[in-house]
Amino acid sequence: MTKTNNAPLSVRNCITSRNHSLVKRIRSLHRREERDRQRKYYIEGMRFVAQAIEASTHIEALVYAPDLIEHPFARHLIKQQQKAGTPCFALADEVMHSIALNDDSQGIGAVVGQRWERLRDINPQHHLCWIVVQTVQSPGNLGTMLRTSEAVGGAGVILLDNYIDVYDPATVRATMAAMFRQRFVRTTLPQLLTWKEQYGCKLVGTSPAASHDYRTVEYSCPTLLFMGGERKGLSQKYQDACDALVKLPMVGRADSLNLAVATGVMLYEIFHQRRKTVR
Amino acid sequence: MTKTNNAPLSVRNCITSRNHSLVKRIRSLHRREERDRQRKYYIEGMRFVAQAIEASTHIEALVYAPDLIEHPFARHLIKQQQKAGTPCFALADEVMHSIALNDDSQGIGAVVGQRWERLRDINPQHHLCWIVVQTVQSPGNLGTMLRTSEAVGGAGVILLDNYIDVYDPATVRATMAAMFRQRFVRTTLPQLLTWKEQYGCKLVGTSPAASHDYRTVEYSCPTLLFMGGERKGLSQKYQDACDALVKLPMVGRADSLNLAVATGVMLYEIFHQRRKTVR
């Protein structure tokens, strides 16, 4: 087994031009409008490719630079995918560099399909919670929120309107591959409100002006946790739509928390209350 | 008052060369070795300059580009500092751009003194907690940790050894100016252990392998919260030095949290226990 994995990878038909159609297409996926249009995105690194495969994400094309691969596990992944019939393409080092999102691509990447679900197909009662967001400025914050959601058993994220791209490379990276197991829905506020009524879920928002401390509220399962953007928090319109508003206490001159941290503190409180019930 | 603040700033002796000694010196502060040597750092933006002043941080030089300033409050700050005798320097726009750390400098910046304290001068009993770190890869994570520490009434950060630079621009930025009120100490593990024994503080570390859930432990005041680095967490040596090790529970396939999120969840638990006592 180890012998097989360490055998050199075939370099037949190695793509040596940066202008090859696949290479150009991957570079086009660095831009949101192309990701939206093609409903695909590009991931890189061993951990991401391995976890995408494990989560049965559709791999449209796997690319690798044989000379840049150092880890036997990456070679194993490629051979496994070749056997499984996934289209696999060897790239010259400089071609691989031309599509890299980061310095640590480890010589392996993949074009994968975006996954979107429709709100009406979802029964929220199967999960601890969903995160709801309308505006998040920092893609890294959004990815970190998804990583924490995965850690506590949250289902995923409900995006209101069309501002946020969960497939932004910086978001994907910050999820540390948790994103392949999180679920994504795009909807509007009126649709969300109708759906939550149907299932009797509570929409809980956070605001520094809320009168309830986040620790004094009972979070029913499933909770829809509505987090506002970094700069302005939840606007009045969204606060009005919530069934409950809670605040994270702060002392001294502090007036706000990092969005991913605030979300993490909230998610761990919701998670903790549920664990108590289950015990 | 408003009239005075909106009056145009004097542009006498405007610095127009990127090679002016002050401008070169500010650029040198973008590098850690120069920050360490000079014990200074450069901050930019209205919020940072205002909060540095408010926290009585030593301002060695205030710089501004009259044409880039849009907000009356920035003009007010500059005039206030001119009156107070702080050396203030007008820069041409392109010179200001040459020293900018970010796109949103708002035309104002300052060279300020680093603040360091000696462990032996500190009585930890006056505060809720201190964060202890030896390795943090992401400067943004460290800054976010300081921002949360400020929000819960934590004192600051104790840095073991010489790896971490709390005055890295990305760290400073992520603190959202909380750093002017947080305290900084650099020491070694043996010195920390002697000091904590003297005051009877508990050193609490986090590890996924710990047997105690973070919610089942009582955090005495003051708590020294020891957080490991993003990649490997706390090494065995540091785990052994702790009085207690706790874990943040995770479900499913998640194996780690973002460091700033994990720190935030811990700090809010410590804060919550203290609030209960105070009530």
Side-chain angles (χ1 to χ4, degrees), chain B residues 54-96:
Chain B
E54 203 180 308
S56 306
T57 307
H58 173 67
I59 311 270
E60 192 190 280
L62 191 145
V63 294
Y64 60 97
D67 294 341
L68 296 177
I69 289 178
E70 289 176 4
H71 206 291
F73 181 62
R75 273 189 284 273
H76 165 73
L77 280 177
I78 294 159
K79 287 176 187 164
Q80 181 203 52
Q81 289 302 301
Q82 284 170 334
K83 264 193 196 158
T86 303
C88 297
F89 303 88
L91 309 185
D93 295 3
E94 67 274 18
V95 177
M96 194 78 195

Coordinates of all heavy atoms in Angstrom, one line a residue, chain B residues 54-96:
Chain B
E54 N -6.4 59.2 24.5 CA -7.3 59.1 25.7 C -6.7 58.2 26.8 O -6.9 58.4 27.9 CB -8.6 58.5 25.2 CG -9.8 58.8 26.2 CD -11.1 58.2 25.7 OE1 -11.4 58.5 24.5 OE2 -11.7 57.5 26.4
A55 N -5.9 57.2 26.3 CA -5.3 56.3 27.2 C -3.9 56.8 27.7 O -3.1 56.1 28.3 CB -5.1 54.9 26.6
S56 N -3.6 58.1 27.4 CA -2.4 58.7 27.8 C -1.1 58.0 27.3 O -0.1 58.0 27.9 CB -2.2 58.8 29.3 OG -3.4 59.4 29.9
T57 N -1.3 57.4 26.1 CA -0.1 56.8 25.4 C 0.8 57.9 25.0 O 0.4 58.9 24.5 CB -0.6 56.0 24.2 OG1 -1.6 55.1 24.6 CG2 0.5 55.2 23.5
H58 N 2.1 57.7 25.1 CA 3.1 58.7 24.7 C 3.1 58.8 23.2 O 3.4 57.9 22.5 CB 4.5 58.4 25.2 CG 5.5 59.3 24.7 ND1 5.5 60.7 25.0 CD2 6.5 59.1 23.8 CE1 6.5 61.3 24.3 NE2 7.1 60.3 23.6
I59 N 2.7 60.0 22.7 CA 2.7 60.3 21.3 C 4.0 61.0 20.9 O 4.2 62.2 21.3 CB 1.5 61.2 20.8 CG1 0.2 60.7 21.4 CG2 1.5 61.4 19.3 CD1 -0.6 59.8 20.6
E60 N 4.9 60.3 20.2 CA 6.2 61.0 19.9 C 6.0 61.9 18.7 O 6.6 63.0 18.7 CB 7.2 59.9 19.5 CG 8.6 60.4 19.5 CD 9.5 59.4 18.9 OE1 10.0 58.6 19.6 OE2 9.8 59.6 17.7
A61 N 5.2 61.6 17.8 CA 5.0 62.5 16.6 C 3.6 62.1 16.0 O 3.2 61.0 15.9 CB 6.0 62.3 15.6
L62 N 2.9 63.2 15.7 CA 1.6 63.0 15.0 C 1.8 63.5 13.6 O 2.3 64.5 13.4 CB 0.5 63.8 15.8 CG -0.9 63.5 15.3 CD1 -1.8 63.7 16.5 CD2 -1.4 64.5 14.2
V63 N 1.3 62.7 12.6 CA 1.4 63.1 11.2 C 0.1 63.1 10.6 O -0.8 62.4 11.0 CB 2.4 62.1 10.4 CG1 3.8 62.2 10.9 CG2 1.9 60.7 10.5
Y64 N -0.1 64.0 9.6 CA -1.4 64.1 9.0 C -1.2 64.7 7.6 O -0.3 65.4 7.3 CB -2.4 65.0 9.8 CG -1.9 66.4 10.0 CD1 -2.3 67.4 9.2 CD2 -1.0 66.7 11.0 CE1 -1.9 68.7 9.3 CE2 -0.5 68.0 11.2 CZ -1.0 69.0 10.3 OH -0.5 70.3 10.5
A65 N -2.1 64.3 6.7 CA -2.1 64.8 5.3 C -3.4 65.7 5.2 O -4.5 65.2 5.1 CB -2.2 63.7 4.3
P66 N -3.3 67.0 5.3 CA -4.4 67.9 5.3 C -5.5 67.6 4.3 O -6.7 67.6 4.6 CB -3.8 69.3 5.1 CG -2.4 69.2 5.6 CD -2.0 67.8 5.3
D67 N -5.1 67.3 3.1 CA -6.0 67.0 2.0 C -6.8 65.7 2.1 O -7.8 65.5 1.5 CB -5.4 67.1 0.6 CG -4.9 68.5 0.3 OD1 -5.3 69.5 1.0 OD2 -4.0 68.7 -0.5
L68 N -6.2 64.8 2.9 CA -6.8 63.5 3.0 C -7.8 63.4 4.2 O -8.6 62.4 4.3 CB -5.8 62.4 3.2 CG -4.8 62.2 2.0 CD1 -3.8 61.1 2.3 CD2 -5.6 61.8 0.7
I69 N -7.8 64.4 5.0 CA -8.7 64.4 6.2 C -10.1 64.9 5.8 O -10.3 66.0 5.3 CB -8.1 65.3 7.3 CG1 -6.9 64.6 7.9 CG2 -9.1 65.5 8.4 CD1 -6.1 65.3 8.9
E70 N -11.1 64.0 6.1 CA -12.4 64.4 5.7 C -13.3 64.7 7.0 O -14.3 65.4 6.9 CB -13.1 63.2 4.9 CG -12.5 63.1 3.6 CD -13.1 61.9 2.8 OE1 -14.0 61.2 3.3 OE2 -12.6 61.7 1.7
H71 N -12.9 64.1 8.1 CA -13.7 64.2 9.3 C -13.3 65.3 10.2 O -12.1 65.4 10.5 CB -13.7 62.9 10.0 CG -14.9 62.6 10.8 ND1 -15.2 63.3 12.0 CD2 -15.9 61.7 10.7 CE1 -16.3 62.9 12.5 NE2 -16.7 61.9 11.7
P72 N -14.2 66.2 10.6 CA -13.9 67.3 11.5 C -13.2 66.8 12.8 O -12.4 67.5 13.3 CB -15.2 68.0 11.8 CG -16.2 67.5 10.8 CD -15.7 66.2 10.3
F73 N -13.6 65.6 13.3 CA -13.0 65.1 14.5 C -11.5 64.9 14.4 O -10.7 65.2 15.3 CB -13.7 63.8 14.9 CG -13.1 63.3 16.2 CD1 -13.2 64.0 17.4 CD2 -12.5 62.0 16.3 CE1 -12.7 63.5 18.6 CE2 -12.0 61.5 17.4 CZ -12.1 62.2 18.6
A74 N -11.0 64.5 13.2 CA -9.6 64.4 13.0 C -8.9 65.7 13.1 O -7.8 65.8 13.7 CB -9.3 63.7 11.6
R75 N -9.5 66.7 12.5 CA -8.9 68.1 12.5 C -8.9 68.6 14.0 O -7.9 69.1 14.5 CB -9.8 69.1 11.7 CG -9.3 69.1 10.3 CD -10.0 70.3 9.5 NE -11.4 69.9 9.2 CZ -11.8 69.3 8.1 NH1 -10.9 68.9 7.2 NH2 -13.0 69.0 7.9
H76 N -9.9 68.3 14.7 CA -10.0 68.6 16.1 C -8.8 68.0 16.9 O -8.1 68.6 17.7 CB -11.3 68.2 16.7 CG -11.4 68.2 18.2 ND1 -11.4 69.4 19.0 CD2 -11.4 67.2 19.1 CE1 -11.4 69.0 20.3 NE2 -11.4 67.7 20.4
L77 N -8.6 66.7 16.6 CA -7.5 65.9 17.3 C -6.2 66.6 17.1 O -5.4 66.7 18.0 CB -7.5 64.5 16.8 CG -8.4 63.5 17.3 CD1 -8.2 62.1 16.6 CD2 -8.2 63.3 18.8
I78 N -6.0 66.9 15.8 CA -4.7 67.5 15.4 C -4.5 68.9 16.1 O -3.4 69.1 16.7 CB -4.6 67.7 13.9 CG1 -4.6 66.3 13.2 CG2 -3.3 68.4 13.5 CD1 -5.0 66.3 11.8
K79 N -5.5 69.7 16.1 CA -5.3 71.0 16.8 C -5.1 70.9 18.3 O -4.3 71.6 18.9 CB -6.6 71.9 16.5 CG -6.5 72.3 15.0 CD -7.8 73.1 14.6 CE -7.8 73.4 13.1 NZ -9.1 73.7 12.7
Q80 N -5.8 69.9 18.8 CA -5.7 69.7 20.3 C -4.3 69.3 20.6 O -3.7 69.7 21.6 CB -6.7 68.6 20.6 CG -6.8 68.1 22.0 CD -7.3 66.7 22.1 OE1 -6.8 65.8 21.5 NE2 -8.3 66.5 22.9
Q81 N -3.7 68.4 19.8 CA -2.4 67.9 20.0 C -1.3 69.0 19.7 O -0.3 69.1 20.4 CB -2.0 66.7 19.2 CG -2.8 65.4 19.6 CD -2.5 65.1 21.1 OE1 -1.3 64.9 21.5 NE2 -3.5 65.1 22.0
Q82 N -1.6 69.9 18.7 CA -0.7 71.0 18.5 C -0.6 71.9 19.7 O 0.4 72.3 20.2 CB -1.2 71.8 17.3 CG -0.8 71.1 15.9 CD -1.5 71.7 14.7 OE1 -2.6 72.4 14.9 NE2 -1.0 71.6 13.6
K83 N -1.8 72.2 20.3 CA -1.9 73.0 21.5 C -1.2 72.4 22.6 O -0.5 73.1 23.5 CB -3.4 73.2 21.9 CG -4.0 74.5 21.3 CD -5.3 74.7 22.0 CE -6.1 75.8 21.2 NZ -7.5 75.7 21.5
A84 N -1.3 71.1 22.7 CA -0.7 70.3 23.9 C 0.8 70.2 23.7 O 1.5 69.7 24.6 CB -1.4 69.0 24.0
G85 N 1.3 70.6 22.6 CA 2.8 70.6 22.4 C 3.3 69.3 21.8 O 4.6 69.1 21.7
T86 N 2.5 68.5 21.4 CA 2.9 67.2 20.7 C 3.5 67.6 19.3 O 2.9 68.4 18.6 CB 1.7 66.3 20.4 OG1 1.1 66.0 21.7 CG2 2.1 65.0 19.7
P87 N 4.7 67.1 18.9 CA 5.2 67.4 17.6 C 4.3 66.9 16.5 O 4.0 65.7 16.5 CB 6.5 66.7 17.6 CG 6.9 66.4 19.0 CD 5.6 66.2 19.7
C88 N 3.7 67.8 15.7 CA 2.8 67.5 14.7 C 3.3 67.9 13.3 O 3.9 69.0 13.2 CB 1.5 68.2 14.9 SG 0.6 67.8 16.4
F89 N 3.2 67.0 12.3 CA 3.8 67.2 11.0 C 2.8 67.0 9.9 O 2.2 66.0 9.8 CB 5.0 66.3 10.8 CG 6.1 66.4 11.9 CD1 6.0 65.6 13.0 CD2 7.1 67.2 11.7 CE1 6.9 65.7 14.0 CE2 8.1 67.3 12.7 CZ 8.0 66.6 13.9
A90 N 2.7 68.0 9.0 CA 1.8 67.9 7.8 C 2.6 67.2 6.7 O 3.8 67.5 6.5 CB 1.4 69.3 7.4
L91 N 2.0 66.2 6.1 CA 2.7 65.5 5.0 C 1.9 65.7 3.7 O 0.6 65.8 3.7 CB 2.7 64.0 5.3 CG 3.2 63.5 6.6 CD1 3.3 61.9 6.6 CD2 4.6 64.0 6.9
A92 N 2.6 65.7 2.6 CA 1.9 65.7 1.3 C 1.2 64.3 1.2 O 1.6 63.3 1.7 CB 2.9 65.8 0.2
D93 N 0.1 64.3 0.4 CA -0.7 63.1 0.2 C 0.1 61.9 -0.1 O 0.0 60.8 0.5 CB -1.8 63.3 -0.9 CG -2.8 64.3 -0.6 OD1 -2.6 65.0 0.5 OD2 -3.7 64.5 -1.4
E94 N 1.0 62.0 -1.1 CA 1.8 60.9 -1.6 C 2.7 60.4 -0.5 O 3.1 59.2 -0.4 CB 2.4 61.1 -2.9 CG 3.6 62.1 -2.9 CD 3.0 63.6 -3.1 OE1 1.8 63.8 -2.9 OE2 3.8 64.5 -3.5
V95 N 3.2 61.3 0.3 CA 4.1 60.9 1.4 C 3.3 60.1 2.5 O 3.7 59.1 3.0 CB 4.8 62.1 2.0 CG1 5.7 61.7 3.2 CG2 5.6 62.9 1.0
M96 N 2.1 60.6 2.8 CA 1.2 59.9 3.7 C 0.9 58.5 3.2 O 1.0 57.5 3.9 CB -0.1 60.7 3.8 CG -1.0 60.2 5.0 SD -0.3 60.9 6.6 CE -1.2 59.8 7.8

